mmCIF file of all heavy atoms in Angstrom:
data_model
loop_
_atom_site.group_PDB
_atom_site.id
_atom_site.type_symbol
_atom_site.label_atom_id
_atom_site.label_comp_id
_atom_site.label_asym_id
_atom_site.label_seq_id
_atom_site.Cartn_x
_atom_site.Cartn_y
_atom_site.Cartn_z
ATOM 1 N N LEU B 169 143.175 97.587 178.872
ATOM 2 C CA LEU B 169 142.573 96.464 179.586
ATOM 3 C C LEU B 169 142.442 95.259 178.669
ATOM 4 O O LEU B 169 142.407 95.404 177.442
ATOM 5 C CB LEU B 169 141.184 96.856 180.098
ATOM 6 C CG LEU B 169 141.130 98.009 181.102
ATOM 7 C CD1 LEU B 169 139.695 98.455 181.322
ATOM 8 C CD2 LEU B 169 141.774 97.617 182.416
ATOM 9 N N GLU B 170 142.349 94.095 179.280
ATOM 10 C CA GLU B 170 142.189 92.858 178.516
ATOM 11 C C GLU B 170 141.192 91.968 179.257
ATOM 12 O O GLU B 170 141.191 91.938 180.481
ATOM 13 C CB GLU B 170 143.551 92.166 178.437
ATOM 14 C CG GLU B 170 143.539 90.846 177.722
ATOM 15 C CD GLU B 170 144.938 90.247 177.657
ATOM 16 O OE1 GLU B 170 145.723 90.649 176.791
ATOM 17 O OE2 GLU B 170 145.235 89.375 178.492
ATOM 18 N N VAL B 171 140.367 91.275 178.519
ATOM 19 C CA VAL B 171 139.388 90.383 179.133
ATOM 20 C C VAL B 171 139.724 88.936 178.749
ATOM 21 O O VAL B 171 139.947 88.630 177.572
ATOM 22 C CB VAL B 171 137.949 90.741 178.686
ATOM 23 C CG1 VAL B 171 136.929 89.799 179.328
ATOM 24 C CG2 VAL B 171 137.629 92.191 179.037
ATOM 25 N N LEU B 172 139.787 88.082 179.745
ATOM 26 C CA LEU B 172 140.063 86.658 179.521
ATOM 27 C C LEU B 172 138.987 85.838 180.219
ATOM 28 O O LEU B 172 138.414 86.274 181.215
ATOM 29 C CB LEU B 172 141.421 86.251 180.125
ATOM 30 C CG LEU B 172 142.701 86.869 179.623
ATOM 31 C CD1 LEU B 172 143.881 86.321 180.431
ATOM 32 C CD2 LEU B 172 142.920 86.576 178.142
ATOM 33 N N ARG B 173 138.741 84.649 179.697
ATOM 34 C CA ARG B 173 137.869 83.711 180.403
ATOM 35 C C ARG B 173 138.725 82.526 180.848
ATOM 36 O O ARG B 173 139.408 81.917 180.032
ATOM 37 C CB ARG B 173 136.736 83.260 179.485
ATOM 38 C CG ARG B 173 135.630 82.521 180.235
ATOM 39 C CD ARG B 173 134.429 82.273 179.358
ATOM 40 N NE ARG B 173 133.792 83.526 178.950
ATOM 41 C CZ ARG B 173 133.311 83.749 177.715
ATOM 42 N NH1 ARG B 173 133.397 82.837 176.779
ATOM 43 N NH2 ARG B 173 132.738 84.895 177.431
ATOM 44 N N LEU B 174 138.715 82.268 182.148
ATOM 45 C CA LEU B 174 139.537 81.186 182.703
ATOM 46 C C LEU B 174 138.654 80.055 183.191
ATOM 47 O O LEU B 174 137.592 80.287 183.754
ATOM 48 C CB LEU B 174 140.335 81.677 183.918
ATOM 49 C CG LEU B 174 141.155 82.959 183.837
ATOM 50 C CD1 LEU B 174 141.861 83.183 185.167
ATOM 51 C CD2 LEU B 174 142.184 82.876 182.724
ATOM 52 N N LYS B 175 139.153 78.855 183.000
ATOM 53 C CA LYS B 175 138.471 77.693 183.599
ATOM 54 C C LYS B 175 138.891 77.600 185.056
ATOM 55 O O LYS B 175 140.055 77.801 185.382
ATOM 56 C CB LYS B 175 138.942 76.416 182.886
ATOM 57 C CG LYS B 175 138.123 76.079 181.688
ATOM 58 C CD LYS B 175 138.011 74.559 181.553
ATOM 59 C CE LYS B 175 137.096 74.232 180.395
ATOM 60 N NZ LYS B 175 137.717 73.343 179.439
ATOM 61 N N THR B 176 137.959 77.279 185.937
ATOM 62 C CA THR B 176 138.363 77.039 187.321
ATOM 63 C C THR B 176 138.701 75.548 187.477
ATOM 64 O O THR B 176 138.143 74.730 186.733
ATOM 65 C CB THR B 176 137.241 77.426 188.301
ATOM 66 O OG1 THR B 176 136.036 76.813 187.871
ATOM 67 C CG2 THR B 176 137.070 78.926 188.353
ATOM 68 N N PRO B 177 139.568 75.192 188.407
ATOM 69 C CA PRO B 177 140.257 76.050 189.369
ATOM 70 C C PRO B 177 141.282 76.981 188.710
ATOM 71 O O PRO B 177 141.832 76.639 187.662
ATOM 72 C CB PRO B 177 140.942 75.046 190.294
ATOM 73 C CG PRO B 177 141.153 73.820 189.448
ATOM 74 C CD PRO B 177 139.986 73.770 188.518
ATOM 75 N N ALA B 178 141.495 78.125 189.362
ATOM 76 C CA ALA B 178 142.389 79.125 188.776
ATOM 77 C C ALA B 178 143.121 79.899 189.877
ATOM 78 O O ALA B 178 142.744 79.832 191.046
ATOM 79 C CB ALA B 178 141.575 80.080 187.914
ATOM 80 N N VAL B 179 144.144 80.599 189.441
ATOM 81 C CA VAL B 179 144.897 81.467 190.353
ATOM 82 C C VAL B 179 144.782 82.897 189.840
ATOM 83 O O VAL B 179 145.017 83.153 188.652
ATOM 84 C CB VAL B 179 146.395 81.078 190.411
ATOM 85 C CG1 VAL B 179 147.106 81.901 191.477
ATOM 86 C CG2 VAL B 179 146.576 79.594 190.672
ATOM 87 N N LEU B 180 144.421 83.818 190.715
ATOM 88 C CA LEU B 180 144.271 85.211 190.311
ATOM 89 C C LEU B 180 145.205 86.092 191.122
ATOM 90 O O LEU B 180 145.493 85.804 192.282
ATOM 91 C CB LEU B 180 142.827 85.679 190.534
ATOM 92 C CG LEU B 180 141.721 84.876 189.853
ATOM 93 C CD1 LEU B 180 140.360 85.457 190.211
ATOM 94 C CD2 LEU B 180 141.909 84.866 188.343
ATOM 95 N N SER B 181 145.678 87.185 190.508
ATOM 96 C CA SER B 181 146.411 88.174 191.296
ATOM 97 C C SER B 181 145.684 89.504 191.213
ATOM 98 O O SER B 181 145.192 89.903 190.153
ATOM 99 C CB SER B 181 147.878 88.271 190.872
ATOM 100 O OG SER B 181 148.048 89.030 189.715
ATOM 101 N N ALA B 182 145.606 90.172 192.358
ATOM 102 C CA ALA B 182 144.791 91.384 192.482
ATOM 103 C C ALA B 182 145.596 92.634 192.166
ATOM 104 O O ALA B 182 146.700 92.820 192.676
ATOM 105 C CB ALA B 182 144.241 91.480 193.903
ATOM 106 N N ASP B 183 145.033 93.481 191.320
ATOM 107 C CA ASP B 183 145.611 94.801 191.085
ATOM 108 C C ASP B 183 144.910 95.794 192.012
ATOM 109 O O ASP B 183 143.879 95.484 192.609
ATOM 110 C CB ASP B 183 145.468 95.208 189.615
ATOM 111 C CG ASP B 183 146.659 96.041 189.168
ATOM 112 O OD1 ASP B 183 147.095 96.895 189.953
ATOM 113 O OD2 ASP B 183 147.161 95.847 188.041
ATOM 114 N N LEU B 184 145.463 96.988 192.094
ATOM 115 C CA LEU B 184 144.941 97.998 193.032
ATOM 116 C C LEU B 184 143.477 98.315 192.819
ATOM 117 O O LEU B 184 142.761 98.624 193.743
ATOM 118 C CB LEU B 184 145.721 99.299 192.847
ATOM 119 C CG LEU B 184 147.040 99.426 193.573
ATOM 120 C CD1 LEU B 184 147.697 100.736 193.182
ATOM 121 C CD2 LEU B 184 146.812 99.400 195.075
ATOM 122 N N ARG B 185 143.062 98.270 191.574
ATOM 123 C CA ARG B 185 141.718 98.747 191.280
ATOM 124 C C ARG B 185 140.632 97.677 191.370
ATOM 125 O O ARG B 185 139.494 97.918 191.010
ATOM 126 C CB ARG B 185 141.693 99.447 189.916
ATOM 127 C CG ARG B 185 141.967 100.923 190.062
ATOM 128 C CD ARG B 185 142.499 101.547 188.822
ATOM 129 N NE ARG B 185 143.863 101.136 188.582
ATOM 130 C CZ ARG B 185 144.916 101.720 189.139
ATOM 131 N NH1 ARG B 185 144.767 102.719 189.958
ATOM 132 N NH2 ARG B 185 146.126 101.296 188.870
ATOM 133 N N LEU B 186 140.994 96.516 191.873
ATOM 134 C CA LEU B 186 139.994 95.454 191.984
ATOM 135 C C LEU B 186 138.877 95.815 192.962
ATOM 136 O O LEU B 186 137.700 95.581 192.693
ATOM 137 C CB LEU B 186 140.689 94.153 192.409
ATOM 138 C CG LEU B 186 139.819 92.909 192.545
ATOM 139 C CD1 LEU B 186 139.111 92.576 191.243
ATOM 140 C CD2 LEU B 186 140.673 91.716 192.995
ATOM 141 N N ASN B 187 139.243 96.406 194.074
ATOM 142 C CA ASN B 187 138.228 96.791 195.065
ATOM 143 C C ASN B 187 138.828 97.746 196.084
ATOM 144 O O ASN B 187 140.022 98.046 196.038
ATOM 145 C CB ASN B 187 137.654 95.549 195.762
ATOM 146 C CG ASN B 187 138.727 94.764 196.495
ATOM 147 O OD1 ASN B 187 139.535 95.331 197.228
ATOM 148 N ND2 ASN B 187 138.756 93.455 196.293
ATOM 149 N N GLU B 188 137.989 98.166 197.008
ATOM 150 C CA GLU B 188 138.418 99.032 198.109
ATOM 151 C C GLU B 188 138.332 98.186 199.386
ATOM 152 O O GLU B 188 137.232 97.885 199.846
ATOM 153 C CB GLU B 188 137.448 100.214 198.177
ATOM 154 C CG GLU B 188 137.876 101.377 199.030
ATOM 155 C CD GLU B 188 138.966 102.205 198.392
ATOM 156 O OE1 GLU B 188 138.826 102.596 197.201
ATOM 157 O OE2 GLU B 188 139.968 102.441 199.086
ATOM 158 N N PRO B 189 139.462 97.758 199.947
ATOM 159 C CA PRO B 189 139.384 96.871 201.112
ATOM 160 C C PRO B 189 138.719 97.538 202.314
ATOM 161 O O PRO B 189 138.869 98.731 202.515
ATOM 162 C CB PRO B 189 140.842 96.553 201.431
ATOM 163 C CG PRO B 189 141.646 97.059 200.320
ATOM 164 C CD PRO B 189 140.849 98.059 199.570
ATOM 165 N N ARG B 190 137.984 96.749 203.088
ATOM 166 C CA ARG B 190 137.295 97.270 204.271
ATOM 167 C C ARG B 190 138.274 97.360 205.433
ATOM 168 O O ARG B 190 139.319 96.710 205.426
ATOM 169 C CB ARG B 190 136.147 96.334 204.644
ATOM 170 C CG ARG B 190 136.609 95.004 205.212
ATOM 171 C CD ARG B 190 135.498 93.983 205.264
ATOM 172 N NE ARG B 190 135.032 93.654 203.912
ATOM 173 C CZ ARG B 190 133.936 92.944 203.665
ATOM 174 N NH1 ARG B 190 133.192 92.492 204.655
ATOM 175 N NH2 ARG B 190 133.578 92.674 202.425
ATOM 176 N N TYR B 191 137.893 98.174 206.402
ATOM 177 C CA TYR B 191 138.649 98.202 207.652
ATOM 178 C C TYR B 191 138.056 97.152 208.577
ATOM 179 O O TYR B 191 136.839 96.971 208.615
ATOM 180 C CB TYR B 191 138.538 99.578 208.318
ATOM 181 C CG TYR B 191 139.329 100.633 207.601
ATOM 182 C CD1 TYR B 191 138.702 101.584 206.807
ATOM 183 C CD2 TYR B 191 140.722 100.662 207.717
ATOM 184 C CE1 TYR B 191 139.441 102.542 206.125
ATOM 185 C CE2 TYR B 191 141.464 101.617 207.048
ATOM 186 C CZ TYR B 191 140.819 102.563 206.255
ATOM 187 O OH TYR B 191 141.543 103.493 205.584
ATOM 188 N N ALA B 192 138.912 96.498 209.330
ATOM 189 C CA ALA B 192 138.417 95.555 210.320
ATOM 190 C C ALA B 192 137.886 96.357 211.510
ATOM 191 O O ALA B 192 138.579 97.236 212.022
ATOM 192 C CB ALA B 192 139.548 94.636 210.763
ATOM 193 N N THR B 193 136.652 96.079 211.911
ATOM 194 C CA THR B 193 136.085 96.799 213.057
ATOM 195 C C THR B 193 136.549 96.129 214.346
ATOM 196 O O THR B 193 136.965 94.959 214.336
ATOM 197 C CB THR B 193 134.544 96.756 213.010
ATOM 198 O OG1 THR B 193 134.140 95.381 213.005
ATOM 199 C CG2 THR B 193 134.008 97.452 211.768
ATOM 200 N N LEU B 194 136.432 96.860 215.451
ATOM 201 C CA LEU B 194 136.903 96.316 216.726
ATOM 202 C C LEU B 194 136.205 94.987 217.088
ATOM 203 O O LEU B 194 136.887 94.025 217.447
ATOM 204 C CB LEU B 194 136.741 97.361 217.844
ATOM 205 C CG LEU B 194 137.393 96.955 219.173
ATOM 206 C CD1 LEU B 194 138.886 96.703 219.024
ATOM 207 C CD2 LEU B 194 137.132 97.993 220.241
ATOM 208 N N PRO B 195 134.869 94.917 216.994
ATOM 209 C CA PRO B 195 134.232 93.622 217.308
ATOM 210 C C PRO B 195 134.773 92.483 216.440
ATOM 211 O O PRO B 195 134.986 91.367 216.932
ATOM 212 C CB PRO B 195 132.743 93.862 217.005
ATOM 213 C CG PRO B 195 132.565 95.329 217.001
ATOM 214 C CD PRO B 195 133.878 95.946 216.651
#
Side-chain angles (χ1 to χ4, degrees):
Chain B
L169 298 169
E170 178 178 279
V171 180
L172 298 178
R173 192 171 296 139
L174 310 181
K175 271 215 176 126
T176 50
V179 186
L180 304 179
S181 79
D183 214 319
L184 276 176
R185 269 156 288 276
L186 182 59
N187 60 47
E188 193 74 50
R190 71 194 64 191
Y191 287 105
T193 58
L194 188 59

